[in-house]
Amino acid sequence: MHLKWIVKKTLPLALATLLISAPVAASSSQNENAARANAAFAEGAAIGVSPVTPSEMTQCSAYWNRWQYVVDSSNVLQFNAALRTELSSNNAKTSAARWLKLSRKRLRHEGLNLDEWVEILDGSNKRADAAYANWVNDEMGGVDELPRALGSC
């Protein structure tokens, strides 16, 4: 009977402690991810290259599109607040649209046809999906890969 009382009294307290501490651990991890993303973005920007081909521009559009999803699907306000302004959802949306528009413009300028552009777009989306999966799973330096690529976009 004594054991029942201990379980009855301490189990709710233990569960409450877990529930309270889990978001703190998650937000700490998310703050670290934001700091890593900010640093990786700065590294990418410091390289000083910028997309010039339709393929590179389309790739940037796809990366920004996936990044917008990262930010929009984050339910940790500290993560979003800790990101550089350049990595905000609004900037990601604007950048994705801008790079796609520039890609199409360059495509017309270079005389490529729509079929070639669809192939480029497909390849860009596959690479962006892989970078997003690496971000989510923190595989192969994924937390750094996507924002570093965005730095050069």
Side-chain angles (χ1 to χ4, degrees), residues 65-118:
N65 179 274
R66 297 323 179 276
W67 184 256
Q68 181 186 2
Y69 186 77
V70 166
V71 176
D72 288 350
S73 63
S74 171
N75 59 359
V76 180
L77 295 176
Q78 295 89 342
F79 172 74
N80 294 344
L83 289 173
R84 298 170 58 124
T85 304
E86 298 97 320
L87 293 174
S88 70
S89 175
N90 286 338
N91 189 61
K93 181 179 180 179
T94 301
S95 295
R98 180 173 50 87
W99 283 118
L100 195 59
K101 183 178 179 180
L102 288 171
S103 173
R104 286 189 302 236
K105 184 177 179 179
R106 177 65 70 142
L107 176 88
R108 285 190 298 272
H109 178 73
E110 291 183 7
L112 298 174
N113 65 38
L114 185 60
D115 290 336
E116 291 171 305
W117 190 72
V118 168

Side-chain angles (χ1 to χ4, degrees), residues 123-135:
S124 295
N125 282 323
K126 286 178 182 175
R127 285 186 295 280
D129 287 343
Y132 172 76
N134 290 341
W135 165 272

Side-chain angles (χ1 to χ4, degrees), residues 5-21:
W5 182 86
I6 292 173
V7 170
K8 186 177 178 181
K9 295 295 182 184
T10 59
L11 189 58
L13 181 60
L15 288 174
T17 303
L18 281 174
L19 291 174
I20 290 170
S21 64

